[in-house]
Amino acid sequence: MATQDIPQDVGGGRASLFYDPKVRGIFFQVLVIVALVAFVYWIIGNTVENLKRANIASGFAFLNGRAGFDVSDTLIAFDSDSTYRRALLVGFINTLVVAAAGIVTASILGFLIGIGRLSHNWLIRKICTVYVELFRNIPPLLVIFFWYFGVLSVLPLPKESIELPFGSFLNSRGFYFPKLVWGDGSMLVPVALLLGLAMSWFVARRAKQRQMATGATFPVFWTSLALIVGLPFLALVATGFPLSFDFPQKSTFNLTGGLQIKPEFLSLYLALSFYTAAFIAEIVRAGIRGVSSGQSEASAALGLRSAQALRLVVVPQALRIVIPPLTSQFLNLTKNSSLAIAIGYPDLVAVGGTVLNQTGQAIEIVVIWMVVYLGLSLITSAFMNWFNAKMALVER
């Protein structure tokens, strides 16, 4: 019996095609992309029209212009005749310095407080708890104001400076300490330090390979310490100690000589460190709590003391839990450094704001801010992801 062709419903086929989840998903994705492109096009056109109406030339050529202002805290040479580009570079370096110093200090302080939260000593445990609850519930800007107006601003005047060990002084204008003055042949010392660091890394790597292969341990810490300290000391001896100190001296109205760390940097550095350390402490505490109690019991059964079990067994395992959320705190500290403008510390945002007021190049300055902070965040995240991968458990 011959079969007849049955005509298909074309309209129904198209409707069923639209209800296909894959086709529908592609359609809405294309629709969203088209809408985003149209929105960006409208924003750019509107911005260009407004710039023309205000007679403001767009572009980054203004960076080569004369700055015409001074920066109070610089690590590189800068004066009012320098360019806007160099002014922004000064602000960028200041941001890097305060962020790097804050990350190191907050990590150490947060680690100690996190362990203190788990201490069997009632007083230590309660002090650490109060610290965490206090700083976690205060906005970082208030912490900055506390250090700037409540601590450093009430210090004595320079002529009544507080004398500290090693020829250092502390007063309302900052912290003064001796300055290293390098003589002829002193370049051998940093070379020896770099050599010591490289050799320490090599020793640590070989010791780890040896321990994995044979189980035998090696005193890596003391060996590395001897290399890092001993080699520069030998270089100093070989070059006849080409090193002297310029100590700060009291004068009639101020201190002369030495190096000065100004109160703006100290306030921002201490505030960011103490504030972020409270969050890191909770991350560390949670990481240690996340390690099974059986690990501590097994360590005690092997004869390890509590401090040894914490250092050799618990903390290495807790790091695998701690590192991912720790990355977010490092990023927050870096971005919170932009609050420096509130106390006059010349970071990237503060210097960029001055450049913006003088040139009117608002869009370009905001773009620079966004690119710099995005770059710092991506670099920090990449490094922490690499470190997290190095700390991850690897099956043999």
Side-chain angles (χ1 to χ4, degrees):
M1 181 177 179
T3 58
Q4 297 180 353
D5 293 337
I6 301 176
Q8 296 181 353
D9 186 356
V10 178
R14 291 177 180 175
S16 62
L17 184 65
F18 178 77
Y19 285 108
D20 186 346
K22 184 176 180 180
V23 175
R24 189 169 65 250
I26 295 174
F27 171 77
F28 283 112
Q29 290 180 48
V30 172
L31 184 63
V32 170
I33 292 175
V34 171
L36 286 175
V37 171
F39 178 73
V40 172
Y41 178 80
W42 176 79
I43 288 290
I44 294 176
N46 190 44
T47 301
V48 171
E49 183 64 26
N50 290 334
L51 289 175
K52 289 181 179 179
R53 189 180 300 114
N55 293 323
I56 298 177
S58 60
F60 294 91
F62 73 95
L63 293 176
N64 296 321
R66 178 178 177 272
F69 62 88
D70 292 321
V71 178
S72 60
D73 202 340
T74 64
L75 293 177
I76 59 176
F78 181 84
D79 56 33
S80 59
D81 292 326
S82 300
T83 62
Y84 289 123
R85 177 182 285 106
R86 192 165 185 83
L88 292 172
L89 178 61
V90 169
F92 172 68
I93 293 175
N94 288 342
T95 297
L96 281 182
V97 170
V98 73
I103 285 174
V104 173
T105 305
S107 299
I108 297 173
L109 187 60
F111 187 84
L112 295 176
I113 294 173
I115 294 177
R117 289 265 280 145
L118 301 173
S119 174
H120 297 293
N121 186 296
W122 182 88
L123 182 60
I124 294 177
R125 186 172 65 252
K126 291 302 179 182
I127 290 175
C128 293
T129 301
V130 170
Y131 173 91
V132 170
E133 295 301 327
L134 177 65
F135 281 97
R136 285 180 66 196
N137 293 286
I138 297 178
L141 184 59
L142 293 184
V143 182
I144 295 174
F145 285 157
F146 165 76
W147 282 105
Y148 189 67
F149 296 108
V151 178
L152 297 178
S153 295
V154 299
L155 290 174
L157 297 175
K159 63 180 180 180
E160 300 173 350
S161 298
I162 302 174
E163 295 190 22
L164 301 175
F166 308 108
S168 302
F169 295 91
L170 183 64
N171 56 52
S172 59
R173 295 185 182 178
F175 175 61
Y176 296 77
F177 59 96
K179 176 183 178 181
L180 289 174
V181 180
W182 299 94
D184 295 334
S186 58
M187 285 302 299
L188 185 61
V189 177
V191 172
L193 178 61
L194 292 176
L195 181 61
L197 291 172
M199 293 180 66
S200 299
W201 174 82
F202 178 76
V203 168
R205 183 173 183 179
R206 292 293 298 172
K208 183 177 180 181
Q209 293 176 350
R210 175 190 175 190
Q211 184 177 4
M212 294 296 293
T214 64
T217 59
F218 187 79
V220 176
F221 175 77
W222 294 110
T223 304
S224 300
L225 184 63
L227 289 171
I228 295 173
V229 176
L231 288 180
F233 180 76
L234 291 177
L236 283 173
V237 174
T239 54
F241 286 92
L243 177 64
S244 61
F245 293 92
D246 179 19
F247 288 90
Q249 301 293 333
K250 285 185 179 180
S251 61
T252 305
F253 300 105
N254 204 349
L255 275 76
T256 58
L259 288 177
Q260 176 191 11
I261 300 180
K262 296 186 177 181
E264 291 79 14
F265 174 84
L266 284 175
S267 301
L268 184 64
Y269 158 69
L270 292 172
L272 294 180
S273 300
F274 278 73
Y275 177 79
T276 309
F279 294 89
I280 294 178
E282 283 298 275
I283 293 173
V284 171
R285 185 181 69 88
I288 294 176
R289 286 293 192 189
V291 178
S292 173
S293 59
Q295 299 293 317
S296 300
E297 296 171 357
S299 303
L302 292 174
L304 295 178
R305 296 188 297 272
S306 297
Q308 290 178 319
L310 183 67
R311 178 171 59 89
L312 300 175
V313 179
V314 178
V315 170
Q317 297 183 67
L319 281 177
R320 301 182 178 96
I321 306 174
V322 167
I323 292 174
L326 194 64
T327 304
S328 298
Q329 296 306 318
F330 290 169
L331 298 179
N332 289 337
L333 188 149
T334 303
K335 289 179 286 188
N336 285 338
S337 67
S338 61
L339 296 172
I341 192 174
I343 55 173
Y345 178 70
D347 76 321
L348 179 66
V349 174
V351 176
T354 304
V355 175
L356 188 153
N357 291 332
Q358 291 193 2
T359 63
Q361 304 289 335
I363 295 177
E364 290 80 359
I365 295 297
V366 172
V367 168
I368 291 174
W369 287 340
M370 293 173 61
V371 170
V372 169
Y373 281 103
L374 177 62
L376 291 177
S377 298
L378 292 177
I379 292 173
T380 303
S381 299
F383 173 78
M384 294 301 292
N385 288 336
W386 169 82
F387 185 60
N388 188 38
K390 293 290 289 185
M391 296 299 299
L393 289 173
V394 179
E395 296 184 4
R396 297 185 181 180

